[in-house]
Amino acid sequence: GNSVTQMEGPVTLSEEAFLTINCTYTATGYPSLFWYVQYPGEGLQLLLKATKADDKGSNKGFEATYRKETTSFHLEKGSVQVSDSAVYFCALSDRGDAGKSTFGDGTTLTVKP
Amino acid sequence: EAGVVQSPRYKIIEKKQPVAFWCNPISGHNTLYWYLQNLGQGPELLIRYENEEAVDDSQLPKDRFSAERLKGVDSTLKIQPAELGDSAVYLCASSLGKTSGETQYFGPGTRLLVL
């Protein structure tokens, strides 16, 4: 079956530091890939996505590139802010059964001033 | 535009009691999902609806869990009887359709504590 493996947290950074959260996946088909973010007390919300190989998703300074050869979708940001403190989830959506999504366990990011 | 609405936000019950959660998806969204999220883990699908039809309920513990989506709009998830291990956050999400690149929109969740 499908699976998503995320870098274990928690991750603690100082403001303006560079962020990388690793995500690798296993899928039988050719999935779409997502990063969702969950702020304290809120539901998950889409941060960015990519639907085919070599696509780069980007939003709010975050980027991730769909790497089919390494089955990865690592999240990066050049300069984090305190407001980026949240839990980040990598997810995939099966192309064969398009409504079927698999989520990673989440990585908690804390950014200190 | 209103997002996905869930109620209640919090629920505390004693084991063996019944409990129900309600979800109203974004208007026009045909696909509705119920997820279970344990502490420190990602969401795990319980059931997925396409309109009023449950198209994937393979992970729903049918001996105690039930769900319905009457008229293909809002949905109710029920647990009867609740067990201590059911303590978790129950998330509802919706999406416009079921294509692979479709974004899911999540509600804030219902945090259940079973004592």
Side-chain angles (χ1 to χ4, degrees), chain B residues 9-44:
Chain B
R9 290 294 307 274
Y10 305 93
K11 189 73 177 180
I12 301 174
I13 61 172
E14 294 189 346
K15 63 180 180 182
K16 300 185 181 179
Q17 294 301 305
V19 64
F21 314 126
W22 177 80
C23 172
N24 187 254
I26 292 174
S27 177
H29 280 195
N30 297 321
T31 306
L32 184 145
Y33 312 76
W34 281 104
Y35 288 95
L36 168 70
Q37 186 178 20
N38 286 305
L39 189 65
Q41 297 182 18
E44 299 172 16

Side-chain angles (χ1 to χ4, degrees), chain A residues 32 36 41 49 93 97-98 101, chain B residues 9 42 48 98 100-101 103-104:
Chain A
S32 294
Y36 285 86
K49 67 180 180 182
S93 177
D97 182 359
S101 296
Chain B
R9 290 294 307 274
R48 170 166 57 101
K98 59 175 182 177
S100 177
T103 299
Q104 293 184 36

Side-chain angles (χ1 to χ4, degrees), chain A residues 2-76:
Chain A
N2 298 336
S3 67
V4 175
T5 302
Q6 279 184 240
M7 161 182 181
E8 289 191 16
V11 175
T12 302
L13 297 173
S14 297
E15 205 165 23
E16 299 184 1
F18 184 84
L19 169 71
T20 299
I21 301 178
N22 291 337
C23 171
T24 57
Y25 67 89
T26 302
T28 52
Y30 185 8
S32 294
L33 302 173
F34 304 79
W35 277 101
Y36 285 86
V37 59
Q38 186 174 31
Y39 298 104
E42 299 182 14
L44 281 73
Q45 56 186 273
L46 180 71
L47 180 60
L48 54 84
K49 67 180 180 182
T51 58
K52 60 183 187 294
D54 300 326
D55 266 4
K56 178 186 284 186
S58 61
N59 186 26
K60 299 182 181 179
F62 291 89
E63 294 182 340
T65 301
Y66 190 143
R67 300 290 186 199
K68 190 178 178 185
E69 63 276 14
T70 55
T71 61
S72 64
F73 193 54
H74 304 322
L75 182 68
E76 296 183 337

Side-chain angles (χ1 to χ4, degrees), chain B residues 6-106:
Chain B
Q6 289 188 249
S7 68
R9 290 294 307 274
Y10 305 93
K11 189 73 177 180
I12 301 174
I13 61 172
E14 294 189 346
K15 63 180 180 182
K16 300 185 181 179
Q17 294 301 305
V19 64
F21 314 126
W22 177 80
C23 172
N24 187 254
I26 292 174
S27 177
H29 280 195
N30 297 321
T31 306
L32 184 145
Y33 312 76
W34 281 104
Y35 288 95
L36 168 70
Q37 186 178 20
N38 286 305
L39 189 65
Q41 297 182 18
E44 299 172 16
L45 182 70
L46 289 171
I47 190 168
R48 170 166 57 101
Y49 284 93
E50 297 291 342
N51 298 303
E52 62 273 5
E53 181 184 0
V55 296
D56 185 353
D57 63 356
S58 57
Q59 301 303 311
L60 189 73
K62 297 181 184 65
D63 56 335
R64 297 186 300 107
F65 286 66
S66 65
E68 60 182 10
R69 190 184 185 197
L70 299 176
K71 300 182 181 179
V73 182
D74 55 354
S75 176
T76 302
L77 178 69
K78 298 178 181 177
I79 309 175
Q80 183 170 10
E83 297 179 353
L84 296 178
D86 296 331
S87 296
V89 177
Y90 292 82
L91 298 170
C92 179
S94 69
S95 65
L96 191 59
K98 59 175 182 177
T99 58
S100 177
E102 207 74 57
T103 299
Q104 293 184 36
Y105 295 84
F106 285 81

